[in-house]
Amino acid sequence: MGKILIIEDNENNLYLTKYILEKNGHSTIFATTGNEGVKKAIEEKPDLIIMDIQLPDINGLEATKRIRESNVGNSIPIVALTSYAMMGDRDKALKAGCTGYIEKPIDPEKFIYQIMEFLK
Amino acid sequence: MKNRYHRITVSIIVCLFLFLFISPLFYAENSKLVVKVGLYEDEPLIFQDNNGNVKGLYADVLEYIAVQEDWEIQYVYGTLNEGLTRIKNNEIDVLTAVAYSPERAVYTEFSNETIFPNWAQVYSVPSLEIESFLDLEYKRIAVVKDDIYYVGPNGIKNLKDNFDLNCTFVEVNDYNEVIKLIEEESVDAGILTRLYESELQNNVKIAKSPLIYSPIKLLFGFPKGSPQNQYLIEKIDYHLKIIKDDHDSVYYSSINEHMPIYSAKEVQIFPKWAKTVVGAILLALLLFVSVSMLLTREVKKRTNHLNEAIGDLQNEIAHRIDAEESLKKSQDKYRELTEKLLIESKSKFESIYNNAATGIDLLDKDLKIVDLNDRSAEMFGYDKNELIGKSILDVTFPGDIELTLKNLKRVINEDIDIYSLEKRYKKKDGTIFWGEVSVSAIKDENKKVQAIVGVIVDITSRKMAEEQLEESEEKYRELVENANSIIAKFGKDGRIISMNDFGLKFFGYKEQELKGKNWIDTILPKIESNGKSLENLAAEIINDPDKYSISINENIKKNGERVWIYWNNKPIYDKGILVGILSVGTDITERKKAEENLYEANKQLEEADRLKSIFLSSMSHELRTPLNSIIGFTGILLQGLAGDLNDEQKKQLGIIKNSSQHLLSLINDILDISKIEAGKIELDCEYFDLNEVMDELLLTFDTMAKDKNLKIEKTMPEKITLYNDKRRFKQIIINLVSNAIKYTNEGSVNITIKILDIKELEIKIIDTGVGIKKADLNRIFEPFQQLDEKLTKKVEGTGLGLHLVKKLLTLMKGTISLESEYGKGSVFTINLPLKVREE
């Protein structure tokens, strides 16, 4: 089990992700903007970061880059939540430094297994 | 009685005469006189046989005389040249077979009586046809050195000079060598004598030509100044004359033996009348002798003279006859030749006349056609005979009759001799052709016009070309004047030299208002409305005509209206010097406006497009965000994470889950289609293992198929690497296979994959399902076409799946086709280009 940072601006979706993870025994922290997410990632050094791409200030890609450029380095897996419809989002996410991606909307049953994979 | 008496008298007189004539010699010579006779090989006149015996006509005659005169003949054998040298040096007494020539006469005395008339005969190699001396041009000719036929006054050497021939002579020692050289083809021709005719008659290596020349008397030669010449000449002449007159003599038997071919001719040489004449003369002479018995010596002298005269006469006659014969021969030949040439040239003329590229007509003074050549008949399209007798005016185009008549009359009236005219003729079929006719008068010796010759050249095509040219020039002028373009000439400084009507009207000026004026402040503003100065435009165009071959600038009309003109400028050169500009202008004001509008519209479109993309992107996000919560929490609730649910709650949450999944599919499909239509979708191609992908896909259908108790089977080659957008490819297969499963209630779904050739992949999805009615086959790929109303209720789908599949395949440069039998099943066939992996 690990500490997971959720960076998500939509309250409902944050609640959904937090709920699934916590119900499965993970501890979570969260941020609702990109900058806050970067700050928390550096301070808290979570075991995994779930990064929404569309965020109000800096987007998830930019946030990922900043985290990768920081001293917490490359060790933390960052999982992007991408829109299936937007062509190129996945590529952009991987290029920006994400470890992997999960398409929205999430399937709660599958989601926890996907997260477990990234935590290994 | 009288006759017999007469004959006896004659005999007595002859005997007497002979006695008187010969007796002194018997007393004068007591011992045998040795006569050295020079000879050279000149068969059959004189030659050595294989045993070294001297034979031939000369030998026989000499031997006869020797017997008569009690001489001893000693032969001195050599060449002609050697013989002549010996005469010169007085080493021999007599040389045989020698003819007179002035050069030889310097050192030689000649007998008077000829032994045989002879002439030169030209022979050649058989491949050459020598018909005249001119044929000897550039030939090599074998000749006997010092031969009279070579160097004599009428010899070939002089003939060569007289005919101005360029032939070369090969000198040899005797005639046999000449023959040998011709046979060997070492020479082209050779000079022999008539005497070789029989010997060479059947010789295929040597051909007798018709050329003969230099008829001469063959005589005996004596060294000049030798004291016994007088005696020898006298004796030889005397005996020769006698034997030539007696057909039973040794002379004729020798000719028979050595020259059988001449024996008959020789008889003719001395015709009967000649003998009678000779007889009469002799008789008269003998009568005179008998009457003047005392004047023996005088008689002898005169007899000799007369003998000489008779001999000469005989020779003369013989020569004349021979000459006549050869003359006749050559005349015949000449006649034949001229006839042949005449026929040839006549047929040549006819051929030229009829096949000439020009028509030739002969008219009488009434202008009727008297004769015409084939070409002329062909031009008019008539048979020759149809035209003869017709007036030339009958075949003249009516419009040109007056002109034709006027000109022809001038010729008939002898005002002019010749004229040339371009006119139209009328063919038999009524069509017209243009002819250039040269007419000339044929006049008699009194300079009166007899007939008229017309030579016609068909110039229809030239005329047509001229007309076309004229037409096109006219058209060009029209084009310039009426073109919907401004066409103008400008000087180097921008001075207006000329402008077409369209241009004048366009700018609203009259010609005189513009001509000579500078374009600035007439048709050109100093400054364009966008601020660009046009004052130096003329200089700019002149300085760099290539760069300014097209210029677009603002112009101004007389009424002040500003217009945009697209100018095509061409420099005008005079003797290599640029003197001005030819410009063609098109008013593009409207176009320019339209372009500007279009540019605006484009900009707006681009903006709209950008907004659309943003909209799509936003919508995707905005629609998904609530769906994420709906689907997510439905899932959590159904999982029981938030506490247990009763059956009703589970059922209702299941409906929410399915509906929201359906909604998600709809959103996804709509977005995909919109993006494809907006050209926003791009394939993200990669190489992937097709087997792996197919296995993975089939796994996801496993539950679905098992639920319906269907078999899913896949047939494909073991290893195929496909270069494609893996996700989109999967999307296509998922769509088709899930459709197949959805619409099949029992049986199977088969997927077969084949490589058609190395460039094409074929995927067939075969089901045993409900199938599609024929009438619906075409609609199947349209959006929202779920065909069977009843089925729709049972089967869920967005109605966009096949439409999207088709669009994606088009994007992949692939195709999809469908075969189906209603109630039995369907076969969807996909063809995709197969990119071979380059590793």
Side-chain angles (χ1 to χ4, degrees):
Chain A
M1 301 298 119
K3 183 164 77 174
I4 298 171
L5 170 63
I6 306 163
I7 304 170
E8 169 68 81
D9 66 326
N10 183 286
E11 234 177 283
N12 293 336
N13 285 334
L14 174 63
Y15 170 39
L16 176 65
T17 311
K18 212 167 122 77
Y19 188 86
I20 296 169
L21 292 173
E22 283 175 4
K23 273 288 168 188
N24 284 290
H26 301 287
S27 63
T28 60
I29 47 172
F30 68 91
T32 55
T33 67
N35 285 323
E36 192 193 343
V38 175
K39 197 180 157 202
K40 285 222 168 143
I42 294 164
E43 282 170 10
E44 303 278 342
K45 294 185 182 72
D47 298 312
L48 185 105
I49 301 167
I50 292 171
M51 177 80 78
D52 188 21
I53 297 299
Q54 276 182 313
L55 293 168
D57 51 353
I58 57 164
N59 68 20
L61 303 176
E62 184 58 34
T64 305
K65 269 188 209 163
R66 290 192 191 176
I67 293 163
R68 289 287 182 236
E69 282 162 13
S70 73
N71 55 0
V72 293
N74 296 323
S75 56
I76 308 170
I78 303 174
V79 180
L81 281 181
T82 62
S83 303
Y84 157 80
M86 295 321 289
M87 164 83 190
D89 276 3
R90 292 164 298 127
D91 283 351
K92 281 181 203 161
L94 295 179
K95 261 189 199 161
C98 294
T99 317
Y101 56 87
I102 295 169
E103 280 174 2
K104 280 207 273 188
I106 57 162
D107 179 337
E109 265 180 85
K110 275 192 201 163
F111 182 72
I112 194 68
Y113 296 111
Q114 288 167 319
I115 294 301
M116 294 292 278
E117 279 299 308
F118 288 114
L119 269 174
K120 270 181 187 170
Chain B
M1 278 299 282
K2 201 182 174 184
N3 265 345
R4 180 177 284 182
Y5 173 74
H6 180 73
R7 232 181 252 168
I8 292 165
T9 316
V10 171
S11 303
I12 294 166
I13 293 166
V14 169
C15 288
L16 192 63
F17 167 75
L18 287 174
F19 174 76
L20 285 171
F21 189 74
I22 294 161
S23 56
L25 293 178
F26 285 109
Y27 300 106
E29 304 290 330
N30 296 321
S31 58
K32 270 193 175 181
L33 178 69
V34 175
V35 180
K36 287 187 203 160
V37 177
L39 73 109
Y40 65 98
E41 199 70 17
D42 193 7
E43 200 180 346
L45 293 176
I46 190 153
F47 60 97
Q48 269 185 322
D49 71 5
N50 296 333
N51 303 321
N53 298 321
V54 178
K55 293 280 171 71
L57 184 59
Y58 265 98
D60 291 344
V61 169
L62 273 174
E63 267 158 38
Y64 166 78
I65 297 171
V67 170
Q68 298 299 317
E69 298 293 338
D70 202 22
W71 293 345
E72 193 191 320
I73 303 287
Q74 286 182 2
Y75 287 112
V76 181
Y77 192 82
T79 62
L80 170 62
N81 185 254
E82 284 166 357
L84 290 169
T85 311
R86 284 179 184 130
I87 284 284
K88 238 185 243 174
N89 299 339
N90 209 357
E91 289 166 12
I92 50 173
D93 301 316
V94 184
L95 180 64
T96 54
V98 56
Y100 174 87
S101 82
E103 290 81 15
R104 288 173 184 176
V106 174
Y107 53 89
T108 313
E109 272 185 80
F110 293 93
S111 61
N112 299 304
E113 194 74 24
T114 177
I115 198 163
F116 197 76
N118 204 2
W119 54 77
Q121 173 83 53
V122 179
Y123 283 84
S124 73
V125 294
S127 55
L128 279 179
E129 274 184 37
I130 307 281
E131 291 194 327
S132 84
F133 279 104
L134 301 179
D135 293 333
L136 295 174
E137 183 83 343
Y138 299 119
K139 299 289 183 292
R140 281 165 58 82
I141 302 164
V143 290
V144 175
K145 201 174 173 190
D146 291 328
D147 187 8
I148 194 77
Y149 301 119
Y150 172 39
V151 292
N154 298 315
I156 188 82
K157 207 168 178 181
N158 279 342
L159 287 174
K160 175 201 163 189
D161 293 340
N162 294 340
F163 278 110
D164 197 19
L165 291 172
N166 284 307
C167 54
T168 51
F169 296 115
V170 178
E171 293 180 1
V172 296
N173 284 324
D174 60 44
Y175 289 124
N176 288 333
E177 278 186 58
V178 172
I179 294 168
K180 210 176 117 208
L181 289 183
I182 298 173
E183 283 176 337
E184 287 170 1
E185 301 198 351
S186 308
V187 293
D188 300 307
I191 306 301
L192 297 172
T193 72
R194 67 185 288 227
L195 298 173
Y196 285 88
E197 192 171 340
S198 66
E199 187 189 328
L200 299 175
Q201 217 166 18
N202 298 318
N203 189 336
V204 292
K205 290 182 181 167
I206 185 161
K208 191 178 114 181
S209 81
L211 298 188
I212 58 170
Y213 64 91
S214 186
I216 48 161
K217 296 172 185 174
L218 276 176
L219 304 168
F220 290 90
F222 307 90
K224 202 162 190 169
S226 172
Q228 54 184 354
N229 280 359
Q230 177 73 20
Y231 165 72
L232 288 174
I233 291 170
E234 203 170 276
K235 288 297 162 197
I236 288 171
D237 279 351
Y238 168 73
H239 285 288
L240 201 49
K241 195 181 69 191
I242 289 176
I243 55 175
K244 273 161 75 178
D245 204 21
D246 180 1
H247 279 133
D248 299 324
S249 70
V250 64
Y251 180 77
Y252 289 100
S253 59
S254 181
I255 283 178
N256 264 330
E257 188 191 340
H258 299 297
M259 304 178 266
I261 195 164
Y262 298 105
S263 55
K265 274 186 197 165
E266 294 304 331
V267 172
Q268 280 178 3
I269 289 169
F270 304 96
K272 283 212 164 71
W273 61 266
K275 279 194 282 178
T276 315
V277 169
V278 173
I281 293 166
L282 271 172
L283 188 62
L285 178 71
L286 288 173
L287 279 171
F288 176 76
V289 166
S290 69
V291 172
S292 319
M293 276 172 76
L294 294 173
L295 303 166
T296 321
R297 278 199 92 80
E298 186 66 20
V299 169
K300 202 177 107 188
K301 222 178 182 176
R302 291 206 177 184
T303 309
N304 280 347
H305 282 190
L306 273 170
N307 280 346
E308 279 166 21
I310 292 160
D312 285 352
L313 192 61
Q314 280 175 335
N315 284 328
E316 187 70 25
I317 291 161
H319 284 167
R320 283 219 180 146
I321 289 166
D322 280 354
E324 267 169 29
E325 262 177 29
S326 60
L327 186 66
K328 195 169 168 280
K329 259 192 207 165
S330 58
Q331 274 175 342
D332 285 350
K333 227 177 171 123
Y334 177 73
R335 201 179 52 241
E336 259 172 49
L337 196 68
T338 39
E339 274 171 12
K340 201 177 135 202
L341 284 172
L342 202 61
I343 291 165
E344 269 177 14
S345 64
K346 196 182 164 207
S347 74
K348 251 184 208 161
F349 169 74
E350 272 171 13
S351 165
I352 291 166
Y353 177 66
N354 281 322
N355 298 323
T358 52
I360 303 170
D361 299 291
L362 191 66
L363 310 180
D364 63 13
K365 284 166 79 177
D366 297 328
L367 308 184
K368 288 210 164 55
I369 299 168
V370 182
D371 191 23
L372 70 162
N373 69 347
D374 291 351
R375 173 70 187 128
S376 182
E378 194 187 301
M379 276 179 173
F380 288 117
Y382 283 91
D383 278 346
K384 221 173 182 176
N385 293 333
E386 288 178 301
L387 278 173
I388 291 173
K390 259 191 190 312
S391 167
I392 192 69
L393 300 176
D394 291 343
V395 290
T396 295
F397 177 68
D400 289 344
I401 286 179
E402 205 183 314
L403 183 73
T404 305
L405 205 54
K406 196 181 92 193
N407 280 294
L408 281 169
K409 271 186 180 161
R410 288 169 70 203
V411 173
I412 292 165
N413 295 338
E414 290 162 23
D415 295 340
I416 50 168
D417 283 343
I418 191 161
Y419 73 85
S420 187
L421 185 67
E422 285 182 8
K423 58 175 276 198
R424 285 162 291 180
Y425 289 95
K426 196 172 68 187
K427 285 189 175 186
K428 190 182 182 183
D429 61 11
T431 56
I432 305 289
F433 76 88
W434 272 95
E436 184 183 344
V437 62
S438 298
V439 176
S440 52
I442 297 179
K443 294 185 174 180
D444 61 12
E445 60 270 31
N446 299 323
K447 303 265 168 99
K448 289 281 163 201
V449 174
Q450 287 293 299
I452 298 156
V453 181
V455 178
I456 308 169
V457 180
D458 190 333
I459 54 160
T460 309
S461 47
R462 195 191 82 201
K463 272 281 170 189
M464 302 273 268
E466 280 173 6
E467 272 171 23
Q468 274 172 2
L469 188 69
E470 224 166 80
E471 232 170 74
S472 71
E473 271 174 3
E474 180 60 30
K475 271 185 192 161
Y476 176 71
R477 257 197 307 280
E478 268 174 39
L479 202 71
V480 169
E481 281 313 316
N482 304 321
N484 287 328
S485 299
I486 305 150
I487 301 174
K489 270 190 203 171
F490 302 107
K492 280 169 84 170
D493 50 359
R495 193 171 32 87
I496 300 165
I497 297 167
S498 67
M499 187 179 283
N500 70 341
D501 285 352
F502 182 88
L504 292 170
K505 270 181 206 152
F506 177 82
F507 287 114
Y509 284 100
K510 291 205 169 69
E511 198 181 355
Q512 62 270 24
E513 291 178 301
L514 281 185
K515 223 171 177 178
K517 303 267 170 65
N518 197 286
W519 60 15
I520 299 280
D521 285 337
T522 51
I523 61 167
L524 203 65
K526 276 199 185 86
I527 297 164
E528 270 181 6
S529 45
N530 57 19
K532 190 180 152 196
S533 168
L534 294 176
E535 277 186 286
N536 295 321
L537 186 63
E540 280 164 10
I541 295 174
I542 292 293
N543 287 339
D544 194 352
D546 285 344
K547 187 180 163 193
Y548 284 91
S549 70
I550 285 165
S551 63
I552 297 168
N553 56 266
E554 208 172 26
N555 285 74
I556 191 160
K557 290 187 180 181
K558 195 182 178 186
N559 63 13
E561 186 191 337
R562 295 214 167 204
V563 284
W564 281 92
I565 310 285
Y566 176 100
W567 291 104
N568 212 315
N569 306 310
K570 279 222 158 66
I572 310 169
Y573 292 94
D574 183 25
K575 288 163 196 153
I577 298 161
L578 201 153
V579 292
I581 311 156
L582 175 69
S583 300
V584 178
T586 310
D587 176 14
I588 55 157
T589 313
E590 289 303 315
R591 203 206 294 172
K592 188 109 176 155
K593 270 184 198 160
E595 264 172 23
E596 274 164 17
N597 291 343
L598 200 67
Y599 178 72
E600 272 311 303
N602 236 333
K603 258 170 114 179
Q604 281 169 16
L605 256 171
E606 271 169 28
E607 177 61 15
D609 212 47
R610 200 179 62 84
L611 291 173
K612 190 180 169 190
S613 289
I614 293 167
F615 169 76
L616 284 173
S617 163
S618 306
M619 192 160 105
S620 166
H621 179 76
E622 297 307 328
L623 287 174
R624 252 163 247 268
T625 305
L627 262 179
N628 195 41
S629 299
I630 296 167
I631 292 169
F633 283 112
T634 311
I636 285 165
L637 288 172
L638 278 169
Q639 264 182 288
L641 282 179
D644 290 341
L645 301 171
N646 63 31
D647 287 350
E648 199 63 27
Q649 286 168 326
K650 271 188 189 167
K651 189 187 164 191
Q652 288 169 5
L653 279 170
I655 292 168
I656 295 173
K657 190 191 171 188
N658 281 342
S659 295
S660 47
Q661 284 292 354
H662 189 204
L663 183 60
L664 180 66
S665 301
L666 268 174
I667 291 167
N668 287 342
D669 284 358
I670 287 169
L671 284 172
D672 279 344
I673 289 165
S674 314
K675 277 191 289 179
I676 291 170
E677 280 176 357
K680 286 283 163 191
I681 210 165
E682 270 174 33
L683 294 175
D684 182 17
C685 289
E686 60 185 314
Y687 286 101
F688 59 86
D689 185 333
L690 189 60
N691 285 64
E692 213 172 84
V693 168
M694 289 308 290
D695 285 342
E696 187 189 310
L697 284 174
L698 291 191
L699 209 62
T700 61
F701 293 120
D702 214 29
T703 334
M704 212 177 155
K706 269 181 188 156
D707 286 350
K708 296 187 82 173
N709 204 19
L710 297 176
K711 256 201 216 162
I712 299 186
E713 278 173 356
K714 170 191 83 147
T715 322
M716 64 182 292
E718 266 183 28
K719 193 168 161 70
I720 302 178
T721 305
L722 194 61
Y723 181 79
N724 212 318
D725 185 325
K726 190 165 146 189
R727 212 158 69 93
R728 296 296 181 189
F729 177 78
K730 273 177 163 178
Q731 200 179 345
I732 290 165
I733 300 299
I734 289 166
N735 252 303
L736 292 172
V737 177
S738 62
N739 268 354
I741 295 169
K742 273 182 213 163
Y743 292 100
T744 304
N745 296 320
E746 55 185 19
S748 62
V749 174
N750 283 305
I751 302 162
T752 61
I753 300 178
K754 271 197 277 187
I755 294 173
L756 285 191
D757 55 66
I758 53 160
K759 285 176 185 166
E760 196 175 2
L761 184 72
E762 183 196 75
I763 304 170
K764 278 181 189 284
I765 292 144
I766 307 154
D767 66 54
T768 56
V770 294
I772 299 151
K773 285 179 190 161
K774 228 175 187 173
D776 298 328
L777 280 175
N778 290 331
R779 298 196 291 133
I780 194 85
F781 295 106
E782 299 298 312
F784 302 111
Q785 297 289 342
Q786 275 182 334
L787 302 170
D788 201 313
E789 303 290 323
K790 289 172 212 159
L791 281 170
T792 318
K793 288 171 189 164
K794 274 201 268 175
V795 182
E796 285 189 347
T798 62
L800 291 168
L802 286 176
H803 183 62
L804 181 62
V805 162
K806 188 163 186 188
K807 291 222 172 263
L808 284 172
L809 278 167
T810 308
L811 206 64
M812 291 170 179
K813 297 190 171 68
T815 57
I816 183 161
S817 61
L818 166 65
E819 294 163 75
S820 184
E821 200 175 327
Y822 188 63
K824 289 203 170 168
S826 305
V827 180
F828 282 87
T829 307
I830 292 170
N831 288 87
L832 272 175
L834 190 65
K835 189 174 168 185
V836 180
R837 185 167 195 167
E838 289 153 20
E839 279 169 315

